[in-house]
Amino acid sequence: MSNKVHVGIEMGTPAVGDGGGGGVDSWKNNLGKMKRHGHALAEKVRRFPGSLWDTIWKLGRDDPRRVIHALKVGLSLTIVSLLYLMEPLFKGIGENAIWAVMTVVVVLEFTVGATLCKGLNRGLGTVLAGSLAFLIEYIAHESGQVFRAVFIGAAVFFVGAAATYMRFLPYIKKNYDYGVVIFLLTFNLITVSSYRVENVLKIAHERFYTIAIGCGICLFMSLLIFPTWSGEDLHNSTVAKLEGLAKSIEACVNEYFNDAEVEPELKKSSSEEDPIYKGYKAVLDSKSTDETLALYASWEPRHSRHCYRFPWQQYVKLGAVLRQFGYAVVALHGCLLTEIQTPRSVRGLFKDPCIRLANEVSKDLMELANSIKNRRHCSPEILSDHLHEALQDLNTAIKSQPRLFLGSNSNQASNLLALAAAHASQHQKDHGVSLSSVKTDSSALLEWKTKRASERENERKVLRPQLSKIAITSLEFSEALPFAAFASLLVEIVARLDNVIEEVEELGTIACFKEFNPGDDKIIVTCEKSKVDVTQNHLPSHPAD
C-alpha cells in the first residue's frame, strides 16, 4: 500500500511539475510574441508620417495638375462660403446658400468636360423640375385640400416612375443620367413642400439662384483657371498606349533571346514591376477610361485656333483596335513564362530575324504615336521594306531547320506506345492481385471489387503523368514547339499592325491632321471641306472638340 502511494506520489509529482513548467514556458512565449508585435507596431507608427509624406509627394509629382485641382476646389469653396459669411449676401439669399456649397462640391470635377457635363445636367434638371412643379402646383391650387393631396401624390408617382424608366435608355444613361437624378430630387422637393409651405415659389427661386451661383463658380474655375481638358487627356493617353506597346514588344523579344537564365517563379513574382507588363497593362485597362474621356470631351468647347471638331469616338475605336493588338502582346509575353521552354541553343538560330522583326514593329508603333502626338498623318512608307525583309528572313530561318519542327524518327509513335505498354505491364506485375487468395463469400467478393477499383484508379493517377513525361521527352521536335508558338505570335502581331495603321490613318483623315511633308517648313492641314496652310510654329496647343 505504501509503495503504491509513494509510487503514485513520485509519478504524479513530475507530471505536475511538467504541466507547471509548460505553462510558464507558454506564458513566456506569448509574452515574447506580444513584445515583438508591439515593437513592429511601434516601428510602423514611427514610419507612418514619412511613408504618408512620400505617398503624397509622389502623387503630386506624377501629375502636378492634381495639386492645381485641389487648390481650385479649396478656392471655390472659400468663395461660395462668402454667401454665408458676409451679412449682406446672407440676408439677400438666406439659408438656401447651402445649395451653392453643395453644387461646388458635386459639380467641380478634374477636367473641363466633366465639370460642364455635371454642371449643365444639374442646371437643366433643376429648370425642368421647377417648371413642371409650378405647373402641377398651379393646377392643384384651385382644388380642395383632399383632391390636392391626391393629385400631388399621383403626380409624384407618375413623374418619378417615368423619369426612372427613362434612365434605362442608353442615350439618357450615357449623357443625362445625373440630370435626371437632379430632376427627380428637385421636383419632389418642390412639389411635396408646396402642400405645407405657402411661399414655395420664393424658396424655389432662391435655390435656383444659389445653384446657378455654384455652377458659375465651377465653370469659371474650370474654364479660365489652368483648365484641364478631357480631350487632351484622351489624346495623350492614346499616344502613351502606342509607345507602351512598342516598348513591350521590343523588351519581350529581347528578354526571350537573353543569354541569362531567369527562373519562371521569379518572373511570375515580379510581374507587377515587369516593364513588359506595364507597357500593355494600360492598353488592356483603357476601355472605360477612353469612353468616359470621350464623353466628357464631347461636352467641351472648341478651344483651338481653327476650331476643328475632333472625332473623339474615333479615339475610342482606335483604343478597341489597340486592345485587340495588346492581346497578342500578352500571349507573346506568356511564352516567357511557360513551363516548357526551347533551349537557348535552339533559340539562337532564330535570334537575329526575330529581333529585327520586333524592332521594325516597335519602330512603326512609335511612328504612329509620333504622328498622333504631332497631329499629322503618318509616313506613307510606314510599312517599309525592312519589315517585309525581316519576315522573309524569319521564314527562311525556320525552313532551314526542318528537323526541329518535323522530326526525323518515323517510328516515334510505335516507340511511344511500346514504352507505355511496357510501363503498364511492369506496374501490373508489381501491384497485381491473385484470384486464388480471395475469399469466395459475397462480402469478400465485394471487398475485393472495391479494393481492385481503388487500385486501378491509383494506377491511372500514377500512369497518366508518367506517360505525359514519356511523350514529352521522347519526341524530338518537342523542344522547338514553344519557339514555334512564339514565332507564330510574332507574325500575328505583324498582321494586326495593319489594322492599327488603318485606324490611325482614318483618325488623321477625320480629324484633319496635317499632311506628312518631311523637310517642308509649311504644314498643309487638309480636311474634306477645307484646306488651310499654317506654319509649324502656330500649331494648336489643344485638340478641338
Side-chain angles (χ1 to χ4, degrees):
M1 179 69 71
S2 61
N3 291 334
K4 292 182 179 179
V5 172
H6 287 296
V7 170
I9 293 174
E10 292 176 357
M11 293 176 64
T13 302
V16 174
D18 292 342
V24 172
D25 293 339
S26 176
W27 180 80
K28 289 181 179 180
N29 292 333
N30 293 333
L31 182 61
K33 290 180 180 179
M34 292 175 62
K35 287 182 178 180
R36 288 193 295 270
H37 287 305
H39 288 309
L41 181 61
E43 185 67 17
K44 289 181 179 179
V45 172
R46 186 182 66 83
R47 293 181 178 179
F48 178 74
S51 176
L52 180 62
W53 172 252
D54 292 340
T55 302
I56 295 174
W57 179 262
K58 183 178 182 299
L59 192 67
R61 183 184 58 190
D62 292 342
D63 193 352
R65 298 179 303 172
R66 297 168 180 168
V67 180
I68 297 175
H69 177 68
L71 296 177
K72 287 162 63 175
V73 173
L75 181 59
S76 301
L77 290 174
T78 303
I79 294 174
V80 79
S81 298
L82 296 177
L83 299 176
Y84 254 91
L85 300 177
M86 297 182 68
E87 190 69 21
L89 295 176
F90 181 76
K91 288 182 179 179
I93 297 178
E95 295 181 356
N96 287 307
I98 193 64
W99 288 89
V101 179
M102 293 175 58
T103 301
V104 171
V105 172
V106 173
V107 171
L108 188 55
E109 294 288 342
F110 182 69
T111 62
V112 175
T115 302
L116 282 171
C117 180
K118 298 193 74 172
L120 296 179
N121 268 275
R122 188 176 182 88
L124 184 61
T126 302
V127 171
L128 293 178
S131 303
L132 185 59
F134 289 143
L135 177 61
I136 292 176
E137 172 63 18
Y138 177 78
I139 296 173
H141 183 70
E142 302 299 332
S143 59
Q145 196 74 5
V146 177
F147 177 79
R148 185 182 180 188
V150 173
F151 183 77
I152 290 176
V156 169
F157 171 77
F158 285 112
V159 172
T164 303
Y165 187 77
M166 288 179 63
R167 293 182 64 189
F168 292 106
L169 297 176
Y171 183 77
I172 299 295
K173 184 72 174 177
K174 180 180 178 180
N175 295 280
Y176 302 105
D177 186 70
Y178 180 69
V180 175
V181 173
I182 296 300
F183 170 83
L184 283 173
L185 176 63
T186 306
F187 175 79
N188 282 275
L189 286 175
I190 296 176
T191 304
V192 176
S193 299
S194 65
Y195 187 76
R196 298 293 182 182
V197 180
E198 293 295 333
N199 197 8
V200 69
L201 183 62
K202 181 181 177 181
I203 296 175
H205 282 171
E206 290 177 351
R207 289 182 179 178
F208 177 76
Y209 293 150
T210 53
I211 290 174
I213 291 172
C215 289
I217 292 174
C218 293
L219 295 179
F220 174 80
M221 286 293 175
S222 294
L223 288 169
L224 301 179
I225 308 297
F226 298 105
T228 301
W229 305 99
S230 299
E232 189 72 13
D233 284 351
L234 180 59
H235 181 86
N236 294 333
S237 68
T238 304
V239 174
K241 286 185 288 187
L242 284 167
E243 293 176 348
L245 288 173
K247 295 176 182 178
S248 292
I249 294 172
E250 192 171 4
C252 184
V253 175
N254 289 335
E255 183 175 342
Y256 187 78
F257 292 100
N258 189 13
D259 294 333
E261 286 282 353
V262 180
E263 293 294 332
E265 291 78 9
L266 297 178
K267 293 180 182 179
K268 294 177 182 178
S269 63
S270 61
S271 60
E272 293 293 334
E273 295 80 17
D274 192 350
I276 304 174
Y277 174 76
K278 288 182 178 180
Y280 62 73
K281 180 179 182 296
V283 179
L284 302 182
D285 299 340
S286 64
K287 184 178 187 296
S288 60
T289 304
D290 289 351
E291 292 177 351
T292 302
L293 288 175
L295 172 63
Y296 290 153
S298 64
W299 286 84
E300 293 177 350
R302 305 179 188 182
H303 49 276
S304 69
R305 177 179 297 272
H306 302 288
C307 292
Y308 294 141
R309 182 176 181 85
F310 261 59
W312 301 119
Q313 291 301 322
Q314 188 65 30
Y315 281 87
V316 178
K317 290 179 60 179
L318 177 58
V321 174
L322 288 179
R323 281 190 296 275
Q324 295 294 330
F325 186 87
Y327 296 147
V329 181
V330 174
L332 190 72
H333 187 204
C335 293
L336 275 66
L337 308 176
T338 55
E339 297 293 337
I340 304 172
Q341 291 287 344
T342 300
R344 300 280 171 176
S345 58
V346 178
R347 297 189 207 179
L349 299 174
F350 313 97
K351 178 178 180 180
D352 292 338
C354 286
I355 291 180
R356 281 184 56 198
L357 188 60
N359 291 338
E360 291 297 328
V361 173
S362 178
K363 185 173 67 175
D364 290 346
L365 289 174
M366 293 299 294
E367 167 61 24
L368 294 174
N370 290 330
S371 68
I372 296 178
K373 183 177 182 180
N374 298 322
R375 297 180 178 87
R376 62 165 174 80
H377 288 280
C378 56
S379 172
E381 299 178 356
I382 185 170
L383 289 177
S384 62
D385 295 335
H386 300 290
L387 182 62
H388 297 288
E389 290 175 0
L391 277 174
Q392 291 296 331
D393 291 344
L394 178 59
N395 186 36
T396 303
I398 292 175
K399 287 183 177 180
S400 65
Q401 302 292 334
R403 292 188 59 183
L404 290 174
F405 300 94
L406 301 177
S408 60
N409 190 357
S410 59
N411 297 323
Q412 284 177 352
S414 59
N415 292 338
L416 176 61
L417 294 176
L419 286 172
H423 180 81
S425 61
Q426 182 65 30
H427 195 274
Q428 289 178 356
K429 290 180 180 179
D430 294 338
H431 301 280
V433 180
S434 177
L435 292 177
S436 60
S437 62
V438 179
K439 298 179 181 179
T440 57
D441 59 330
S442 60
S443 60
L445 183 60
L446 180 61
E447 179 183 356
W448 176 81
K449 288 182 178 180
T450 304
K451 183 178 179 181
R452 185 58 180 166
S454 177
E455 288 181 354
R456 287 181 177 176
E457 183 65 24
N458 293 333
E459 288 177 3
R460 293 193 191 98
K461 291 181 180 180
V462 173
L463 184 60
R464 188 179 298 120
Q466 292 183 357
L467 283 175
S468 300
K469 291 180 181 179
I470 293 172
I472 292 174
T473 56
S474 63
L475 298 178
E476 292 184 2
F477 60 86
S478 63
E479 293 181 343
L481 286 179
F483 172 76
F486 182 85
S488 176
L489 288 170
L490 198 57
V491 175
E492 177 67 18
I493 286 175
V494 176
R496 296 190 182 189
L497 178 64
D498 192 44
N499 297 331
V500 178
I501 295 174
E502 289 180 0
E503 288 297 327
V504 173
E505 289 178 345
E506 184 177 357
L507 173 64
T509 301
I510 300 175
C512 303
F513 282 172
K514 61 193 176 187
E515 290 293 340
F516 178 80
N517 291 320
D520 195 353
D521 294 333
K522 291 283 185 178
I523 297 171
I524 303 174
V525 182
T526 60
C527 188
E528 295 177 357
K529 295 183 179 180
S530 63
K531 293 185 178 181
V532 183
D533 291 349
V534 296
T535 60
Q536 191 166 1
N537 296 328
H538 294 84
L539 287 177
S541 58
H542 297 289
D545 184 6

